[in-house]
Amino acid sequence: MIKIIDLKKYFNSKKVLDGVNLEIEKGKITVIIGRSGEGKSVLIKHIIGLLKPDFGEIFLDGQDITKMTERELNEVHRRFGMLFQGAALFDSMTVGENVAFPLREHTEMPENDLKNIIIEKLRKVGLKNVENMMPADLSGGMKKRVGLARAIAMDPEIVLFDEPTTGLDPVMSDNIATLILDTQRDLKTTYIVITHDIPLTYKIADKIAMLHEGRIVEQGDVDYMKSSPNPILRQFLEGRSEGPIKVL
Amino acid sequence: MLKLSPEAKVGIFVLIGIILLVYMSLRVGGIQFGRQEGYEIFIKFDSVAGLDKDASVRVAGVEVGRVQGITLQNNKAKVVLRISADVKIGRDFTAVLKTKGLLGERYVELVPGSPNAPSIEPGGELTRITTYTDMDKLITILNDVAVDIKKVSGSLANVLGGTEGEASLKNIVTNIEDITERLDNIVKTNDEKFGTIMTNFEAFSVLLKEKGPEITDGLQAVSDNLNEVIAENRDTLKDGFGNLKAATAKLGDTMDTINKLAKNVEPKIDESVNGINSIVKKIDKGEGTLGKLVNDTTVHDNFNKTLTGINSYLGKVESFKTFIGYRGEYLFDASDTKSYLSLTLQPKADKYYLLEIIDDPRGKKTTTTTDTAVAGTTTTTKEVKTSDSLKFSVQVAKRFKDLALRGGIIESTGGVGMDYYMFKDRLRFTFEAFDFDKKRNPHLKAGLRFSLNKYFFITGGYDDFVSKLKLASPYLGIGFHFEDEDIKYLLSSASSAIPKQ
Amino acid sequence: MRELFENIGKWAGRVVSAAGGMALMLFQAILWLFVPPLKLRNTFRQMEFVGVKSLFVVILTGAFTGAVLALQSYNALKRFGAESLVGPTVALSMARELGPVLTGLMVTGRAGSAMATELGTMRVTEQIDALYTMAVNPVKYLVSPRILSGVLMMPVLAIITDFVGVLGGYFVAVKMLGVNSGVYIGRTVDFVKPQDIFDGLIKASVFGLILSLVACYHGFNTAGGAAGVGEAATKSVVLGSVLILVADYFLTSVMF
């Protein structure tokens, strides 16, 4: 579905992405792991077109999105949903309005249908009677769930998750993991998750890719990754501070 | 409280703004919708410094239009005014650039002229302009004038300050009082007569209008006849010229006789000349008020200066003109000449003051009653004798196109007159009525005056044709008049010709 | 020494890129205004925020400015015996200069800083990115309505300031200083032309554009969390106010 070829990105002569090659399969959950600050967010922003690469290509169903005009990219965005790290809910709107936002912007749906969809999507992420609350009144987990509801409101083909469990307790993290799985299974949507949460990764991943020093150092399914002898991967998965990954 | 949507709030808010804007602009500007109403006229100014487009145009301080545009044309500023359709601007309106307040904006004031002047057509030009020169210049001129006036008043005070001056002033005042009283009486007693005169005159002019063509036809016939007569009488005319020659020869003889006569009279003339001389000498020495006035050169100079100052100032405002003239009219029935010395002050083209001193050979009328007793019956014979007298006229005249009406004092009595101008003012028909007296009818005088050139004219007519004094007489005369400019020129050349003492 | 030149170079670079960024943002904002669908609801919300909610502060500013003007000009003009000119002085100053400029500064302080803060927060909490990923152009959704409402609401606020200012001046001059009311109004009507008011409103409109554009630009380019948001607000107020005063000079020199 998505093919990333030799993607390079520099920020002020600092190499962030140094030739990323990655293929993302349709209807699967791909989890990209790596240390904080390794460029996972940068990679995901390239996939959605928020950032332009300095070098390389990203193909979405054979079309290079890095060469697209704003207008074409705008069309592509309708096929995407994204859950941001901080949920990125519009704090000037109620929860209901947040979820309904993409629908209001892109469809001429009558208010009644809209209301039903809001309730249904919120139910899917396990929330009830929160439509009229403001985002500021929600807890972190609830925000994430509302963000997920908004991300899937348009029934997108691809949903991107930026650190979906950051800042949540383990119970809430597991709850989010379950929700991700549940929502994915219904529609067989392509999910791309970036995280450094190993339990979450093991729970949801169909395919794992390890990003280190701007490159994909190892990729494969959960079993392959668990048994891979790659020292970098081993150190990361086992959470040790000594090894080839230097802590500065 | 009513919950309003953002749209409604913004709507109300904007509405308030628009209402305030409309209110304020209407208040301060009187925005004119459909500016193209009214009509345009234009004025050419030498300078319109400070005048802006859309500046207001006012008559008597009331805004009647706006300045539509200002363009340069032949180094003059052509200002196009848009005037409200219901306002008529007369041709004799005067345009003045004025300033609102001391430091305010400039605007165009149109000063009305006479009420019966024709109005300017749309697109026409208003030609009468008053340009105030720079404020500084004006102030300088006024300053000079003020200084001059001060000098004059100082000199006058010197002259009139003495007991002599006081006495003469008193006299003058008494005389003026006397004159006004008499004038008043005259007007009172003759009110009715005036009416009839005017009615008669009207009737006369109607008649003239109706009979006009007939008269011209008649004139044509007369001239035709005259031609025929001349053709027929060529020989006779020749004879006539022969006779004329003989007459001239006789005239020579006559002249000799006059010469002889003059020789006899000479001593007498000498006497009078001596008398005049002594008077002139007295005046010259500065004896008497007149003498002082004439001799005080400072008075003279200052007066001149002041007049120049005022004239140069007035000249900018209006063409102030002064004329001095003389004419003599030979009265056939009296075999004597009536002389007029006149001063015309003309502050405006359509208005003037006429001052005249008249030497009338029949001015003084003395009625002698002689009782002759023949065989018991007494016959009373009344005889009017006339003798030479000086008279004066002071008249105010106003001109309406080709007709001028004047009135005031004519030949030392109340009177009115009219002049009708033809052929670009070259020919003038004059009619005067004065000396109203129930017993012997007013003194009427009618005549024509034809200008030969700018200075000289001939005149002729019929004088005093209805009075019961049997003084009616046709007259013929010649005269001249000079404008002040010409006089100045003459005077300066004359004074340079006479060596100064 | 080298550091100094480097700093100057950096500063110049920032100025140039800010100017370019603002021009580009303005261009996009205008362009997006004409791409349907028009975000009317958003625009009205911004209009309400910029216009209606600034009403109170603007009325206060206008009233007191007019009052002070009347007081000051009365004291000055009295020395020339020209008290009758207090009305025109107040009205002309308000209409041509103080109405638009003070309104501009007040709205910059109130609405401009709020805009920068709001957009800055949206930037650092990735709400702007979220808009983008939901196929909603952030410039069209956020910037165009703000600039439009600035351009449209500022003249309305300015005319209200003008009016309230003249009222304030009237109150002080007539009720407190004893200038004849007929003279005050009459002279004002004599001297002030509609063009004075209109020119002032055009100024106000330009100021509205400046303050909203500067605020949007700084908000949009916020970086560095909560501190960055605060910095964006400060910058937008300072730069907005300065640019309004600079633009005022040039507009005045062009108009009058």
Side-chain angles (χ1 to χ4, degrees):
Chain A
M1 177 143 220
I2 296 174
K3 201 171 183 180
I4 302 167
I5 298 163
D6 202 18
L7 196 69
K8 291 181 182 170
K9 182 72 181 178
Y10 305 87
F11 283 126
N12 297 326
S13 75
K14 188 197 165 215
K15 262 182 223 170
V16 178
L17 299 179
D18 188 22
V20 173
N21 287 286
L22 183 65
E23 206 163 324
I24 288 154
E25 287 171 61
K26 195 182 168 113
K28 295 276 170 63
I29 300 179
T30 305
V31 180
I32 300 166
I33 55 171
R35 290 189 63 214
S36 298
E38 279 291 349
K40 300 193 300 293
S41 289
V42 174
L43 179 61
I44 212 171
K45 280 179 180 169
H46 275 94
I47 293 170
I48 206 161
L50 271 171
L51 291 173
K52 295 274 176 199
D54 293 324
F55 188 81
E57 288 131 0
I58 301 167
F59 289 100
L60 173 68
D61 290 340
Q63 282 180 295
D64 186 355
I65 60 170
T66 63
K67 307 273 189 299
M68 276 180 182
T69 63
E70 279 293 310
R71 198 170 285 246
E72 289 168 325
L73 214 52
N74 210 43
E75 286 304 308
V76 167
H77 284 156
R78 294 182 182 219
R79 300 166 62 188
F80 279 92
M82 181 160 174
L83 175 59
F84 286 88
Q85 207 166 356
L89 297 178
F90 302 126
D91 35 34
S92 60
M93 298 177 194
T94 63
V95 168
E97 282 170 342
N98 262 291
V99 177
F101 183 80
L103 294 161
R104 281 219 175 93
E105 288 298 317
H106 298 299
T107 65
E108 299 286 319
M109 200 175 279
E111 279 301 307
N112 266 345
D113 298 0
L114 214 56
K115 213 170 232 171
N116 291 334
I117 289 181
I118 293 167
I119 291 169
E120 188 221 320
K121 296 288 175 192
L122 285 173
R123 191 189 50 76
K124 260 192 182 171
V125 298
L127 291 171
K128 241 190 265 177
N129 301 327
V130 292
E131 303 93 88
N132 294 321
M133 292 175 79
M134 295 306 281
D137 302 330
L138 301 177
S139 70
M142 281 166 94
K143 276 186 191 167
K144 286 271 160 101
R145 285 191 275 174
V146 174
L148 179 57
R150 187 176 71 181
I152 61 173
M154 290 283 281
D155 297 327
E157 296 169 39
I158 304 155
V159 181
L160 306 170
F161 294 82
D162 187 3
E163 310 272 15
T165 58
T166 308
L168 299 180
D169 61 80
V171 178
M172 183 55 81
S173 295
D174 190 60
N175 179 263
I176 294 286
T178 315
L179 282 176
I180 291 173
L181 282 175
D182 288 351
T183 53
Q184 198 264 343
R185 241 156 241 152
D186 286 353
L187 294 161
K188 282 289 163 208
T189 318
T190 308
Y191 274 20
I192 304 168
V193 181
I194 54 169
T195 187
H196 44 69
D197 184 344
I198 306 303
L200 171 75
T201 310
Y202 288 154
K203 185 162 184 178
I204 63 172
D206 292 317
K207 181 185 177 179
I208 302 171
M210 168 80 189
L211 186 69
H212 180 65
E213 290 181 342
R215 291 167 185 269
I216 301 293
V217 291
E218 197 69 79
Q219 54 179 308
D221 58 21
V222 178
D223 293 338
Y224 170 80
M225 295 298 270
K226 273 181 173 169
S227 58
S228 167
N230 188 318
I232 297 168
L233 188 63
R234 291 259 64 79
Q235 188 192 350
F236 186 79
L237 289 177
E238 286 157 21
R240 286 182 278 107
S241 61
E242 59 279 347
I245 306 174
K246 296 278 178 291
V247 182
L248 296 171
Chain B
M1 188 169 150
L2 189 67
K3 180 104 173 96
L4 289 171
S5 69
E7 285 88 341
K9 282 188 198 165
V10 172
I12 293 166
F13 177 69
V14 170
L15 209 65
I16 292 170
I18 289 173
I19 289 169
L20 285 181
L21 176 63
V22 169
Y23 170 75
M24 285 166 81
S25 350
L26 284 181
R27 236 5 244 280
V28 301
I31 298 177
Q32 287 169 347
F33 299 102
R35 256 210 187 150
Q36 292 309 307
E37 281 169 21
Y39 61 96
E40 285 179 4
I41 62 172
F42 69 91
I43 311 175
K44 283 177 184 160
F45 284 106
D46 287 332
S47 164
V48 290
L51 186 72
D52 293 320
K53 193 170 175 279
D54 277 340
S56 66
V57 177
R58 287 161 189 266
V59 173
V62 180
E63 183 167 307
V64 297
R66 293 285 179 97
V67 172
Q68 180 93 352
I70 302 169
T71 47
L72 192 65
Q73 208 175 63
N74 298 330
N75 288 329
K76 283 201 163 205
K78 182 183 176 186
V79 178
V80 178
L81 310 179
R82 180 161 287 280
I83 307 289
S84 296
D86 53 338
V87 177
K88 296 273 165 274
I89 304 299
R91 247 179 237 165
D92 59 347
F93 274 41
T94 309
V96 188
L97 275 185
K98 282 199 172 177
T99 307
K100 209 193 271 177
L102 189 60
L103 305 160
E105 61 193 86
R106 300 272 263 171
Y107 67 97
V108 180
E109 173 90 31
L110 301 177
V111 182
S114 65
N116 32 18
S119 49
I120 297 179
E121 303 287 312
E125 181 179 6
L126 183 60
T127 45
R128 295 165 69 101
I129 296 155
T130 300
T131 332
Y132 291 126
T133 39
D134 295 340
M135 207 64 185
D136 288 347
K137 217 169 175 182
L138 192 68
I139 288 169
T140 320
I141 291 172
L142 285 177
N143 204 25
D144 289 352
V145 171
V147 170
D148 291 344
I149 288 174
K150 210 173 170 187
K151 279 186 195 162
V152 170
S153 55
S155 309
L156 273 178
N158 283 341
V159 174
L160 300 176
T163 42
E164 219 176 311
E166 221 167 89
S168 46
L169 268 180
K170 229 175 223 169
N171 270 339
I172 290 167
V173 171
T174 325
N175 288 342
I176 291 172
E177 261 173 15
D178 203 31
I179 289 168
T180 44
E181 202 173 303
R182 269 158 77 179
L183 259 176
D184 204 33
N185 281 335
I186 288 161
V187 172
K188 269 181 196 156
T189 47
N190 294 297
D191 218 15
E192 213 175 302
K193 268 187 191 168
F194 265 127
T196 29
I197 287 166
M198 288 318 282
T199 327
N200 289 343
F201 192 71
E202 235 165 59
F204 174 66
S205 59
V206 169
L207 194 75
L208 206 68
K209 207 175 178 186
E210 281 171 358
K211 295 286 167 72
E214 276 175 44
I215 292 167
T216 35
D217 288 353
L219 278 174
Q220 185 62 41
V222 167
S223 65
D224 288 352
N225 288 342
L226 212 65
N227 274 340
E228 273 171 38
V229 169
I230 289 168
E232 277 172 22
N233 296 290
R234 200 160 290 216
D235 295 341
T236 328
L237 273 175
K238 260 184 193 162
D239 290 352
F241 277 117
N243 292 342
L244 211 63
K245 261 184 192 163
T248 327
K250 273 185 182 169
L251 205 66
D253 296 347
T254 315
M255 285 306 287
D256 284 349
T257 322
I258 290 172
N259 263 346
K260 280 173 196 161
L261 245 161
K263 266 175 194 158
N264 291 337
V265 179
E266 223 170 30
K268 279 185 183 171
I269 292 176
D270 267 0
E271 259 174 49
S272 23
V273 168
N274 280 340
I276 292 169
N277 254 354
S278 74
I279 293 170
V280 171
K281 269 178 194 155
K282 273 183 184 169
I283 291 175
D284 223 26
K285 281 178 197 153
E287 288 174 25
T289 317
L290 194 63
K292 269 192 186 166
L293 256 175
V294 171
N295 279 292
D296 195 331
T297 46
T298 53
V299 172
H300 182 77
D301 289 351
N302 288 337
F303 227 99
N304 248 353
K305 264 193 207 165
T306 310
L307 278 178
T308 325
I310 292 174
N311 260 353
S312 71
Y313 173 63
L314 285 176
K316 279 182 183 109
V317 182
E318 274 293 342
S319 46
F320 190 100
K321 286 181 177 171
T322 316
F323 298 95
I324 289 180
Y326 168 84
R327 73 179 191 275
E329 290 171 357
Y330 184 78
L331 295 162
F332 288 94
D333 283 14
S335 308
D336 214 334
T337 308
K338 195 171 172 183
S339 306
Y340 298 76
L341 192 64
S342 70
L343 172 69
T344 309
L345 302 170
Q346 187 179 321
K348 280 181 174 182
D350 61 344
K351 189 178 179 184
Y352 61 89
Y353 301 94
L354 181 64
L355 311 173
E356 284 176 324
I357 296 172
I358 302 131
D359 179 18
D360 188 352
R362 305 185 301 180
K364 205 178 265 175
K365 302 171 190 81
T366 20
T367 318
T368 343
T369 318
T370 328
D371 293 344
T372 329
V374 180
T377 39
T378 315
T379 321
T380 310
T381 327
K382 268 190 185 173
E383 203 186 349
V384 179
K385 274 193 177 171
T386 54
S387 59
D388 192 83
S389 161
L390 272 183
K391 295 172 173 180
F392 67 94
S393 297
V394 180
Q395 296 182 67
V396 180
K398 174 101 178 141
R399 188 165 168 175
F400 306 94
K401 290 180 187 174
D402 286 336
L403 180 71
L405 297 180
R406 53 194 157 84
I409 300 169
I410 300 181
E411 301 197 6
S412 302
T413 74
V416 291
M418 59 144 279
D419 300 297
Y420 187 75
Y421 295 86
M422 291 160 279
F423 306 114
K424 292 180 182 171
D425 292 4
R426 281 200 81 177
L427 187 62
R428 183 199 295 183
F429 170 75
T430 300
F431 175 81
E432 285 173 344
F434 53 95
D435 197 8
F436 299 96
D437 191 317
K438 274 177 189 162
K439 281 178 238 161
R440 47 175 171 79
N441 285 348
H443 187 146
L444 297 188
K445 184 179 170 188
L448 284 170
R449 173 169 158 169
F450 180 73
S451 298
L452 300 167
N453 59 20
K454 197 181 163 190
Y455 306 115
F456 292 95
F457 57 87
I458 53 170
T459 175
Y462 208 41
D463 187 26
D464 206 5
F465 48 86
V466 292
S467 90
K468 289 175 181 167
L469 293 173
K470 292 178 182 160
L471 293 174
S473 166
Y475 68 89
L476 259 181
I478 188 160
F480 59 85
H481 65 115
F482 295 104
E483 212 182 313
D484 51 354
E485 295 297 318
D486 307 317
I487 298 161
K488 259 183 225 157
Y489 174 72
L490 283 173
L491 283 179
S492 59
S493 52
S495 62
S496 61
I498 297 166
K500 281 194 181 145
Q501 291 174 332
Chain C
M1 200 63 196
R2 207 183 128 198
E3 208 172 299
L4 176 74
F5 281 113
E6 267 175 9
N7 282 339
I8 289 173
K10 272 184 197 163
W11 178 81
R14 274 206 304 275
V15 167
V16 169
S17 67
M22 278 186 219
L24 197 67
M25 179 175 266
L26 178 62
F27 175 71
Q28 283 179 341
I30 292 170
L31 212 65
W32 279 109
L33 269 182
F34 297 102
V35 178
L38 194 66
K39 294 286 155 212
L40 267 184
R41 198 175 164 76
N42 252 352
T43 310
F44 273 113
R45 221 176 251 167
Q46 284 308 318
M47 282 181 170
E48 186 199 1
F49 178 70
V50 174
V52 181
K53 293 189 173 165
S54 302
L55 192 58
F56 181 66
V57 66
V58 151
I59 284 176
L60 271 185
T61 314
F64 279 98
T65 308
V68 168
L69 264 180
L71 208 56
Q72 289 282 23
S73 57
Y74 178 83
N75 279 331
L77 290 168
K78 202 173 77 172
R79 295 169 201 192
F80 309 101
E83 294 97 322
S84 64
L85 293 178
V86 170
T89 307
V90 171
L92 281 175
S93 314
M94 289 306 296
R96 288 164 64 145
E97 200 57 50
L98 293 173
V101 171
L102 287 179
T103 309
L105 295 179
M106 294 313 290
V107 173
T108 305
R110 205 199 72 84
S113 64
M115 277 184 201
T117 310
E118 192 187 358
L119 294 189
T121 309
M122 288 183 83
R123 168 60 78 197
V124 298
T125 58
E126 296 184 301
Q127 289 178 50
I128 290 175
D129 290 339
L131 276 176
Y132 188 74
T133 60
M134 280 186 271
V136 174
N137 185 290
V139 172
K140 180 180 171 63
Y141 189 81
L142 297 172
V143 178
S144 297
R146 279 170 173 77
I147 289 180
L148 187 64
S149 63
V151 168
L152 293 180
M153 288 297 103
M154 267 298 292
V156 183
L157 286 170
I159 190 78
I160 290 170
T161 312
D162 290 354
F163 184 73
V164 173
V166 171
L167 279 189
Y170 179 85
F171 180 80
V172 169
V174 174
K175 302 286 174 199
M176 289 167 69
L177 300 173
V179 175
N180 179 289
S181 67
V183 167
Y184 185 94
I185 293 168
R187 294 280 94 183
T188 304
V189 168
D190 271 358
F191 276 93
V192 183
K193 285 178 281 178
Q195 198 61 44
D196 294 323
I197 299 172
F198 297 149
D199 286 349
L201 298 191
I202 290 168
K203 271 186 179 182
S205 213
V206 175
F207 298 162
L209 172 75
I210 289 172
L211 76 92
S212 53
L213 180 64
V214 168
C216 286
Y217 175 80
H218 283 295
F220 230 67
N221 291 290
T222 302
V229 173
E231 198 188 341
T234 310
K235 270 187 190 167
S236 73
V237 170
V238 172
L239 185 64
S241 304
V242 169
L243 281 185
I244 282 176
L245 294 174
V246 171
D248 182 45
Y249 172 79
F250 287 105
L251 284 175
T252 306
S253 67
V254 168
M255 278 174 182
F256 302 117

